């Protein structure tokens, strides 16, 4: 497959990438629900508001049922909307009050915020071709047909929104690590990382700064996303997986794996219409009309 054929396929199948994100998030919520079902005390830790503690019993069931609906793409918008108050409550009343305690606590905030953002995107875009709703002719999708058609024709808008969110998040992450290098150094020292990975870890700050800015702008987008992957793979296999049994590391592993998955999607999908890459491609095509569209 030539590069132009590949990018043309991407252009006409961007909604598939959104479906993959929906499926990943659905499976993740099922796993989270099962974890909470087996560890009910972790739903609302000590110090949580009384109303949150009283509502904690339903959280595992909402995650499991809602996650299953998201994974199969049935009642997708409703399933996403139902999850949002739970994630918002966890973000606002559990994670944010503790975010200054450690880097791991801060990542809990980032994780919940990212999941909340993705649920909001799914609540708008709804199910795509990789869904049971599509097989049923969208009979159970309560969105008007005209809105559904608009959301499907603007899949690149939603992918660009995710790219921009990740770009901003990576830039802020780089800034945080720059201002907390001692804490970051302790995190690295507490893990048996090979020398090569340890050396690579010292490029996290410039990689997050530059890569985050490029993703935000949508400039050399695929390269910017790919450049983050080795750092995240190193974090998954050498920092979080060896200490997977602790709750904090489990949360951080889930967050890092989600970001890794999203960046892998962007590495393939590239940037959409709302990017510097697209503006550059459009300008080039105006002067070379024989060239097929191809986003970077």
């Amino acid at each position: 497959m030539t590069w132009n054929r590949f990018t043309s396929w991407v252009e006409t199948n961007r909604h598939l990438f959104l479906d993959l994100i929906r499926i990943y998030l659905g499976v993740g919520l099922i796993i989270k629900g099962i974890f909470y079902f087996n560890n009910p005390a972790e739903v609302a830790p000590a110090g949580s508001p009384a109303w949150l503690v009283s509502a904690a019993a339903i959280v595992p069931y909402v995650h499991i049922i809602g996650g299953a609906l998201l994974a199969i793409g049935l009642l997708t918008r409703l399933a996403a909307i139902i999850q949002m108050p739970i994630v918002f409550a966890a973000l606002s009343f559990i994670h944010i009050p503790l975010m200054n305690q450690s880097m791991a606590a801060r990542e809990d905030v980032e994780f919940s915020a990212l999941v909340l953002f993705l649920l909001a995107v799914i609540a708008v875009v709804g199910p795509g071709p990789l869904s049971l709703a599509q097989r049923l002719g969208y009979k159970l999708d309560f969105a008007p047909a005209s809105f559904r058609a608009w959301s499907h024709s603007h899949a690149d808008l939603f992918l660009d929104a995710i790219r921009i969110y990740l770009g901003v998040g990576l830039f802020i992450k780089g800034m945080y690590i720059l201002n907390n290098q001692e804490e970051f150094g302790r995190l690295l020292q507490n893990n048996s990382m090979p020398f090569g990975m340890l050396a690579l870890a010292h490029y996290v700050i410039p990689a997050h700064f530059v890569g985050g800015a490029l993703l935000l702008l949508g400039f050399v987008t695929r390269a910017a996303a790919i450049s983050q992957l080795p750092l995240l793979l190193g974090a998954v296999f050498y920092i979080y997986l060896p200490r997977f049994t602790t709750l904090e590391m489990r949360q951080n592993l889930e967050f890092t794996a989600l970001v890794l998955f999203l960046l892998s999607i962007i590495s393939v999908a590239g940037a959409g219409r709302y990017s510097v890459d697209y503006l550059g491609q459009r300008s080039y095509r105006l002067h070379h009309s024989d060239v097929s569209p191809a986003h970077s």
Side-chain angles (χ1 to χ4, degrees):
M1 179 182 288
T2 65
W3 180 251
N4 280 338
R5 286 179 63 188
F6 168 73
T7 53
S8 295
W9 178 86
V10 168
E11 287 305 305
T12 55
N13 290 278
R14 288 188 180 274
H15 46 286
L16 294 178
F17 298 111
L18 291 169
D19 267 354
L20 291 176
I21 293 171
R22 168 183 53 78
I23 293 167
Y24 184 102
L25 200 58
V27 172
L29 285 167
I30 293 172
I31 294 171
K32 196 73 168 180
I34 294 171
F35 173 79
Y36 281 149
F37 189 81
N38 294 325
N39 301 271
E42 302 297 345
V43 180
S48 301
W51 64 268
L52 194 58
V53 174
S54 63
I58 68 168
V59 170
Y61 300 100
V62 174
H63 279 350
I64 292 170
I65 296 171
L69 290 173
L70 284 172
I72 65 175
L74 186 65
L75 298 173
T76 304
R77 290 183 171 89
L78 180 62
I81 290 170
I82 289 174
Q83 304 292 328
M84 291 173 68
I86 294 174
V87 179
F88 179 79
L91 174 64
S92 302
F93 300 102
I94 297 176
H95 300 312
I96 287 181
L98 304 175
M99 70 178 294
N100 293 322
Q101 290 187 354
S102 66
M103 183 178 291
R106 183 183 180 89
E107 287 198 346
D108 287 342
V109 173
E110 296 167 355
F111 184 27
S112 295
L114 176 57
V115 171
L116 183 62
F117 173 76
L118 292 175
L119 286 170
V121 169
I122 293 169
V124 176
V125 73
L130 301 178
S131 67
L132 187 56
Q134 194 269 347
R135 297 298 181 94
L136 297 175
Y138 297 105
K139 293 177 182 177
L140 298 178
D141 186 4
F142 59 78
S146 57
F147 179 80
R148 187 167 60 245
W150 176 87
S151 65
H152 287 181
S153 64
H154 288 76
D156 63 326
L157 166 63
F158 300 103
L159 285 172
D160 276 347
I162 294 171
R163 166 183 56 79
I164 291 167
Y165 186 104
L166 288 177
V168 172
L170 286 168
F171 191 87
I172 293 173
K173 189 74 170 182
M175 188 177 300
Y176 175 80
I177 295 174
L178 178 64
N179 293 326
N180 297 270
Q181 294 188 54
E182 186 176 340
E183 183 182 2
F184 182 63
R186 286 197 302 270
L187 181 65
L188 297 180
Q189 291 168 5
N190 291 336
N191 295 275
S192 54
M193 298 178 70
F195 177 78
M197 289 302 302
L198 194 60
L200 184 64
H202 289 87
Y203 291 94
V204 167
I205 296 172
H208 281 357
F209 269 137
V210 177
L214 292 175
L215 284 171
L216 171 62
L217 296 172
F219 182 57
V220 289
T221 304
R222 288 187 173 93
I226 290 170
S227 69
Q228 307 294 319
L229 301 183
L231 301 174
L232 292 168
L233 284 169
V236 166
F237 287 104
Y238 295 106
I239 296 178
Y240 300 130
L241 270 179
R243 294 189 287 168
F244 176 69
T245 52
T246 66
L247 178 62
E248 266 196 346
M249 291 299 106
R250 182 188 178 94
Q251 289 271 93
N252 296 153
L253 174 62
E254 293 169 358
F255 174 52
T256 305
L258 176 58
V259 174
L260 178 63
F261 175 75
L262 294 174
L263 286 171
S264 299
I265 291 286
I266 294 170
S267 298
V268 178
R273 285 171 281 184
Y274 308 93
S275 65
V276 174
D277 284 339
Y278 179 79
L279 294 176
Q281 289 286 345
R282 187 174 66 174
S283 175
Y284 182 81
R285 291 197 302 271
L286 287 175
H287 297 90
H288 303 79
S289 58
D290 57 323
V291 177
S292 305
H295 299 169
S296 297

